[in-house]
Amino acid sequence: MKKSVYLDNAATTPLLPEVIELMNDIMKNQFGNPSSIHEEGRKARAIIEDARKTVARAIGASIGEIFFTSGGTESNNWALKGAVRDLGIKRIISSPTEHHCVLHSLQSIEAHYDVTLIFLHTDQLGHIDYTQLEDLLADSTVPTLVSLMHANNEMGTLHDIERVGQLCHQYGALFHSDTVQTIGHYPLDVQDLYITFLSGSAHKFHGPKGVGFLYINSNHFIKPYIDGGSQERNMRGGTENIYGIAGMAKALELAMDQLDSRRAHIESLRCYFVQKLTDTFGDIQFNGDWENGLYTVLNVSFPPSDRSDLLLILLDIAGIRASGGSACSSGAETHSHVLQAIQADPARKAVRFSFSHFNTAGEIDYVVEQLKTIFSQKATV
Ligand code: PLP
C-alpha cells in the first residue's frame, strides 16, 4: 500500500487532536463576541485572556505585551512598519536570508519612508557577520532597528539572538526577531533577550492556521497596524479569532510541556536520516549549519541528475511531502533567495525535509528507499 509521509512541517504542522477538540468545543458552545458586555461576551473574553496568559507565560512576557494577530506575516509587518512609523527608526539592519514577509516589508518601508536598509554579509552556512553588525551599530547614532530571524525556515541555520540582543542593548538599537520557526521548539524567554518585538505563528507548532501573536516590549509600544474597534486593548481592530487564539494557546502549552521529548525524538530521526542519506548517496550535501541548526529542518542537495527537476513531483507521487524552499515558493519552484544568498550549487536540486514528533524511523526508511529508486531510474521525459 502506498504510504503517505509528511516531511513538510516547516511549511505547516498537523493540528493536535487536543487542539481540535478544544476548538470544536468553543465553536459549539462559545459563540459570543468578546467585546459584548453580556454573559456570552464575557465567556468569550475569558477564553481570549486565558490564552494570552498562556502565551505570555511561554515566553516570559507580561500579558500586556502579547497581541494576537492573523499569523507570522502580520506580526512581522506590524513590528517593522510600526517601528519606523511610530518609533522614528531611520536605519534597519537585516539579512538577505529572512522570510519574504520580512524582506518585502522592508522593501515597502524603503519605498515609503526615509529609511536606510543594510543587509549583513552571510557566509556559506547562512550565518551573519557579527563583527559587521557590531561595527555598524557602533558607527552610528541613527535610530536603528535590527531585524534577524531566529531560525531560517529553508535551511534551519540559527542566528545567535542572545548575542544580537546584547549588541542591540549595548548600542541602543531596537531588535525584532521572527521566531516563527522556533516558538514551541526552543525555550525562549524575552526576559533573557534584549528583544523589542518577537513574532510567532500557531500553525508551526501544531496549532491552527491564520493566527499568531506579536510580543511588543512595553517600553517600546507602537500604534495599531489594523485600525478599527477597541479589540486587543486598542492595538488591533477586528473581532477576535477566538477558536484560533484558544487553539494556539493550547498547542503552545503542549509544545512547551513536551518540548524535550519531542526534540529528542526529532533529533534522533534527523540524525538517522542524515546517516542513511550519506550511506546511500556518497555525494550529498546538507545546506546551512545543519549540525547546530534548527532540529526540525534538513535541507539536502542531491547529486546532479536528470531526475532533479522532477524530484519533488516524483516524491509526491510516492506519497512523500517535502518542499523545495518555503511553502509560498514551493508551488512556483522559483530559485530560493536563501540558497542563492549562501551560494549553494545551483546544479544540485535542494529539497527541504522538515520533521515533527509524529514522524517515525519507518517513514525515514521508506523515504530513503524511494529516493534510491527515483535516482536509479532513467528519466523518460
Ligand atoms: N516567518 C517565517 C520564518 C516563516 O517560516 C513563515 C511561514 O512560513 C512566516 C514568517 C509567515 O508566517 P504565517 O504563515 O503565519 O504568516
Side-chain angles (χ1 to χ4, degrees):
M1 201 177 69
K2 191 176 112 178
K3 276 189 184 246
S4 174
V5 179
Y6 187 74
L7 290 181
D8 202 11
N9 290 280
T12 198
T13 50
L15 281 164
L16 289 170
E18 296 92 326
V19 172
I20 297 175
E21 201 182 316
L22 175 72
M23 289 174 68
N24 264 336
D25 181 57
I26 296 173
M27 281 185 214
K28 278 191 206 140
N29 301 312
Q30 308 290 346
F31 63 89
N33 183 327
S35 297
S36 304
I37 53 167
H38 52 61
E39 189 176 345
E40 289 310 329
R42 290 199 305 275
K43 282 198 243 167
R45 160 86 26 232
I47 290 170
I48 290 179
E49 295 315 318
D50 274 354
R52 200 183 314 279
K53 268 185 222 151
T54 305
V55 173
R57 200 182 316 119
I59 61 163
S62 64
I63 48 178
E65 295 174 313
I66 300 295
F67 299 93
F68 295 124
T69 65
S70 65
T73 300
E74 182 187 326
S75 298
N76 287 335
N77 268 267
W78 186 9
L80 294 166
K81 294 174 183 174
V84 171
R85 188 189 61 182
D86 306 324
L87 302 177
I89 290 298
K90 292 278 175 225
R91 188 173 68 143
I92 302 180
I93 302 173
S94 189
S95 111
T97 60
E98 294 296 307
H99 190 270
H100 272 146
C101 66
V102 166
L103 293 177
H104 294 167
S105 293
L106 295 180
Q107 278 170 12
S108 147
I109 287 170
E110 196 180 31
H112 293 97
Y113 293 91
D114 178 21
V115 168
T116 306
L117 294 186
I118 301 173
F119 291 99
L120 297 168
H121 303 139
T122 300
D123 69 16
Q124 283 197 310
L125 297 178
H127 291 298
I128 53 150
D129 182 341
Y130 293 90
T131 310
Q132 186 196 9
L133 175 62
E134 177 156 16
D135 289 348
L136 283 165
L137 289 173
D139 197 38
S140 162
T141 53
V142 170
T144 298
L145 172 76
V146 174
S147 178
L148 289 168
M149 68 203 320
H150 188 196
N152 183 271
N153 49 301
E154 290 193 38
M155 59 186 170
T157 297
L158 283 165
H159 288 147
D160 184 348
I161 55 172
E162 211 174 311
R163 186 168 170 193
V164 174
Q166 290 281 357
L167 288 173
C168 289
H169 177 65
Q170 189 178 341
Y171 296 102
L174 302 187
F175 177 30
H176 160 250
S177 188
D178 173 351
T179 55
V180 163
Q181 289 291 342
T182 51
I183 288 282
H185 300 286
Y186 289 84
L188 284 176
D189 191 325
V190 293
Q191 302 300 326
D192 302 335
L193 302 164
Y194 289 104
I195 199 154
T196 322
F197 308 106
L198 174 148
S199 313
S201 177
H203 73 110
K204 308 291 186 181
F205 49 83
H206 304 281
K209 291 171 210 4
V211 58
F213 68 90
L214 178 64
Y215 158 80
I216 306 179
N217 181 284
S218 55
N219 295 322
H220 301 284
F221 264 12
I222 48 179
K223 297 205 171 93
Y225 183 59
I226 295 182
D227 296 312
S230 57
Q231 291 90 354
E232 293 296 284
R233 300 183 310 291
N234 292 311
M235 286 284 272
R236 184 187 186 266
T239 302
E240 297 89 338
N241 172 4
I242 172 171
Y243 335 104
I245 290 169
M248 170 166 67
K250 182 74 186 173
L252 187 55
E253 190 173 37
L254 290 166
M256 299 315 289
D257 286 352
Q258 298 168 13
L259 197 149
D260 292 339
S261 59
R262 286 186 192 179
R263 180 174 180 165
H265 176 75
I266 298 168
E267 275 179 345
S268 81
L269 274 189
R270 185 169 169 272
C271 209
Y272 181 58
F273 193 33
V274 167
Q275 192 57 55
K276 288 207 77 159
L277 285 173
T278 314
D279 292 347
T280 310
F281 303 91
D283 178 22
I284 201 151
Q285 293 172 358
F286 301 105
N287 296 311
D289 187 3
W290 62 277
E291 280 164 301
N292 306 300
L294 173 62
Y295 55 88
T296 53
V297 168
L298 187 67
N299 191 305
V300 185
S301 274
F302 288 93
S305 151
D306 57 6
R307 312 303 280 159
S308 295
D309 285 346
L310 292 174
L311 185 53
L312 283 176
I313 296 168
L314 295 170
L315 284 171
D316 196 25
I317 291 169
I320 298 160
R321 323 301 175 202
S323 157
S326 64
C328 341
S329 318
S330 59
E333 274 281 313
T334 50
H335 194 62
S336 148
H337 69 284
V338 173
L339 297 182
Q340 232 160 3
I342 62 160
Q343 296 174 2
D345 180 356
R348 288 169 174 268
K349 177 71 188 164
V351 178
R352 178 187 70 183
F353 297 98
S354 48
F355 312 89
S356 83
H357 60 285
F358 289 123
N359 293 122
T360 63
E363 290 180 335
I364 300 297
D365 291 337
Y366 175 74
V367 172
V368 176
E369 275 313 305
Q370 292 302 312
L371 282 166
K372 225 190 308 186
T373 309
I374 289 170
F375 279 100
S376 64
Q377 286 164 349
K378 277 259 152 280
T380 50
V381 284

